[in-house]
């Protein structure tokens, strides 16, 4: 194998992980912070004994770290959950059920973005089956839901808007403050799924007018199966789980103490190094884009005309099927994905890319490369060489 500068590249011994949008390796400090909570601080934080108090102290410290990473919101506005999917379900279903409890006969309309993750889309469809009217706000060719597009979907009876902070497939960052302002004009509450954004770009829900925000620990160097929902004070939710009333009666179930500790620490680390990491990761992403496009200028970069997450690169490669390119790169030890990991395995073309106006063929020819804080320049240079070689090979074999 020859690299871009004509040097021979050794066989790739160390795998190159470029699928941070799917999940991220944990920060070693976050793992270390968790360990005592499996053994000496194993208590149930709802109890009274010393072990319980230790666990509770750890949980509240983690809550403060998350609140701090959200621009210093009050700690009691952060509710721990079992991940991004649960947070989204709680935000949408919990809000609708609270509205119903207040005024059972009031007609309810909600708006969700056309490019949402299934955690929001499927919840909206579920609510639709229970009698809620749902509209899907369209997006432009970059995946942006403009305030104008949101306006078109709003109605006098709209009670809730849910539009993701940044898209998982393309990385498009939405104009959140403006979308929240439109929602508020109609008296609607604004929820954002920030699963891809939190820990990667700076987020300040209080100044952005965000009423509820979902995030997931494993996307920013925390453990899987952890997440939180920020709920601005004054927003009423009905719990979706019945049980012991933990998390101030919003989320029943014994707290996942080690997980919460790990997520809190990951939130702290991500926030502390944010500016430096954003600049470095975006620089590497831009380098990868440039190296690939220099040799393969017919590739289209999706979402390039608008703010993107620093680590996201979505490429439509004419004459190549994304799945084949993913498989070929995997054989060389490079992990990327064809579209969104949470929906891959489906045969239908990506709803996100379709909403952006891509043809079915373009959807199937699109891959997602996502970088993270641990990504190195060496890995990016090796990946550029591999992408160029494999695309050329697939095209020459007419394999697409
Ligand atoms: N929302 C978005 C935008 C996501 O990308 C994902 C996972 O990829 C989720 C929600 C689901 O989060 P979790 O895996 O924590 O359930």
């Amino acid at each position: 194998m020859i690299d871009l500068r004509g040097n021979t590249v050794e066989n790739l011994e160390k795998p190159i992980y470029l699928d941070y949008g799917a999940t991220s390796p944990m920060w070693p400090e976050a793992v270390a912070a968790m360990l005592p909570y499996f053994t000496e601080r194993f208590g149930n934080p709802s109890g009274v004994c010393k072990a319980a108090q230790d666990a509770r102290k750890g949980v509240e410290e983690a809550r403060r770290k998350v609140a701090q990473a959200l621009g210093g919101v009050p700690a009691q506005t952060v509710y721990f959950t079992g991940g991004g999917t649960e947070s989204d379900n709680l935000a949408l279903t919990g809000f609708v059920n609270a509205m119903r409890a207040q005024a059972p006969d009031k007609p309810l309309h909600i708006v969700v973005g056309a490019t949402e993750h299934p955690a929001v889309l499927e919840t909206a469809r579920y609510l639709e089956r229970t009698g809620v009217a749902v509209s899907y706000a369209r997006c432009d060719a970059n995946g942006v839901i403009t305030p104008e597009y949101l306006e078109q979907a709003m109605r006098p009876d709209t009670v809730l808007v849910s539009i993701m902070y940044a898209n998982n497939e393309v990385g498009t960052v939405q104009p959140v403050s403006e979308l929240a302002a439109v929602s508020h004009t109609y008296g609607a509450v604004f929820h954002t799924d920030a699963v891809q954004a939190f820990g990667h770009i700076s987020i300040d829900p209080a100044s952005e007018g965000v009423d509820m925000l979902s995030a997931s620990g494993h996307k920013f160097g925390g453990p899987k199966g952890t997440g939180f929902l920020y709920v601005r004070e004054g927003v009423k939710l009905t719990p979706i789980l019945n049980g012991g009333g933990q998390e101030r009666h919003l989320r029943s179930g014994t707290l996942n103490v080690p997980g919460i500790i790990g997520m809190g620490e990951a939130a702290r680390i991500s926030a502390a190094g944010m500016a430096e990491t954003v600049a470095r990761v975006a620089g590497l992403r831009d380098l990868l884009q440039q190296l690939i496009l220099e040799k393969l200028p017919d590739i289209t970069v999706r979402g390039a005309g608008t703010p993107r997450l620093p680590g996201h690169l979505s490429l439509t490669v004419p004459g190549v099927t994304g799945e084949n390119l993913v498989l070929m790169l995997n054989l060389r030890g490079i992990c990327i994905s064809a579209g969104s990991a949470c929906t891959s395995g489906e045969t239908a073309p990506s709803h996100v890319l379709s909403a952006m106006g891509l043809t079915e063929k373009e959807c199937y020819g699109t891959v997602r490369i996502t970088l993270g804080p641990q990504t190195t320049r060496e890995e990016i240079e090796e990946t550029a060489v591999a992408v160029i070689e494999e695309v050329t090979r697939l095209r020459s074999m007419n394999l697409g």
Side-chain angles (χ1 to χ4, degrees):
M1 229 187 302
I2 306 289
D3 77 8
L4 290 171
R5 292 177 305 276
N7 302 318
T8 304
V9 179
E10 296 300 325
N11 266 352
L12 297 169
E13 276 164 18
K14 196 170 152 271
I16 296 178
Y17 184 76
L18 294 174
D19 202 12
Y20 280 80
T23 194
S24 59
M26 276 194 68
W27 292 107
E29 298 92 325
V31 176
M34 291 171 73
L35 292 179
Y37 291 88
F38 289 107
T39 51
E40 66 260 35
R41 294 182 213 153
F42 63 90
N44 184 329
S46 303
V48 289
C49 62
K50 166 86 169 66
Q53 284 175 22
D54 286 347
R56 190 157 60 241
K57 246 172 80 183
V59 166
E60 294 317 318
E61 181 58 27
R63 204 185 305 278
R64 279 192 290 277
K65 288 178 184 173
V66 170
Q68 208 48 45
L70 281 172
V73 296
Q76 69 271 17
T77 57
V78 173
Y79 296 86
F80 293 122
T81 68
T85 302
E86 186 190 329
S87 298
D88 287 340
N89 273 263
L90 177 57
L92 271 66
T93 306
F95 183 78
V96 163
N97 287 346
M99 294 291 290
R100 281 185 168 141
Q102 260 175 31
D105 299 325
K106 190 175 181 290
L108 302 175
H109 173 249
I110 68 172
V111 177
V112 300
T115 59
E116 294 302 307
H117 187 273
V120 167
L121 279 183
E122 292 304 322
T123 305
R125 286 187 189 123
Y126 157 76
L127 290 171
E128 213 165 8
R129 292 195 291 278
T130 72
V132 176
V134 181
S135 298
Y136 299 85
R138 56 191 280 235
C139 66
D140 68 14
N142 282 310
V144 179
I145 297 173
T146 63
E148 293 72 32
Y149 288 152
L150 176 57
E151 284 267 11
Q152 288 167 12
M154 297 298 286
R155 300 192 337 199
D157 59 347
T158 309
V159 291
L160 176 68
V161 173
S162 181
I163 294 176
M164 67 206 319
Y165 208 104
N167 183 261
N168 44 309
E169 293 187 35
V170 182
T172 304
V173 178
Q174 299 295 345
V176 165
S177 304
E178 294 167 65
L179 297 174
V182 170
S183 309
H184 294 157
T185 313
Y186 287 77
V189 157
F190 183 79
H191 166 255
T192 188
D193 173 340
V195 166
Q196 292 287 331
F198 180 83
H200 297 278
I201 53 175
S202 111
I203 293 182
D204 188 352
S207 74
E208 292 165 341
V210 169
D211 301 304
M212 292 192 278
L213 179 146
S214 305
S216 171
H218 74 102
K219 305 287 187 180
F220 57 92
K224 293 173 182 60
T226 63
F228 67 84
L229 180 66
Y230 159 77
V231 186
R232 180 177 60 73
E233 269 160 326
V235 176
K236 294 266 172 298
L237 297 183
T238 297
I240 55 174
L241 296 176
N242 302 302
Q246 287 88 346
E247 290 297 90
R248 297 178 311 291
H249 300 284
L250 187 56
R251 201 277 188 171
S252 283
T254 301
L255 274 71
N256 170 7
V257 179
I260 288 168
I261 303 291
M263 178 171 66
E265 184 60 4
R268 186 195 65 74
I269 296 167
S270 304
M274 180 84 67
E276 188 271 325
T277 308
V278 167
R280 191 167 44 76
V281 172
L284 289 175
R285 186 268 317 273
D286 293 345
L287 174 66
L288 180 60
Q289 178 177 320
Q290 181 205 324
L291 292 174
I292 294 173
L293 263 73
E294 259 168 30
K295 300 280 180 200
L296 301 170
D298 60 345
I299 287 182
T300 307
V301 179
R302 299 296 166 191
T306 198
R308 271 180 296 170
L309 288 173
H312 270 62
L313 183 58
S314 170
L315 301 175
T316 305
V317 190
V320 166
T321 305
E323 295 268 305
N324 284 345
L325 183 55
V326 169
L327 291 174
M328 298 307 281
L329 290 173
N330 185 46
L331 290 176
R332 294 173 67 146
I334 301 173
C335 179
I336 67 162
S337 95
S340 161
C342 300
T343 52
S344 68
E346 278 182 10
T347 45
S350 148
H351 70 283
V352 175
L353 300 172
S354 302
M356 288 165 61
L358 274 71
T359 62
E360 199 166 300
K361 204 162 178 200
E362 287 172 324
C363 290
Y364 286 124
T366 302
V367 293
R368 177 184 78 168
I369 306 178
T370 39
L371 293 66
Q374 289 87 352
T375 305
T376 64
R377 189 183 171 98
E378 212 175 27
E379 289 178 325
I380 288 309
E381 288 174 348
E382 285 181 14
T383 301
V385 172
V387 168
I388 293 159
E389 285 183 0
E390 295 308 330
V391 168
T392 309
R393 192 202 310 269
L394 286 168
R395 282 176 174 171
S396 70
M397 293 192 298
N398 232 350
L399 265 179

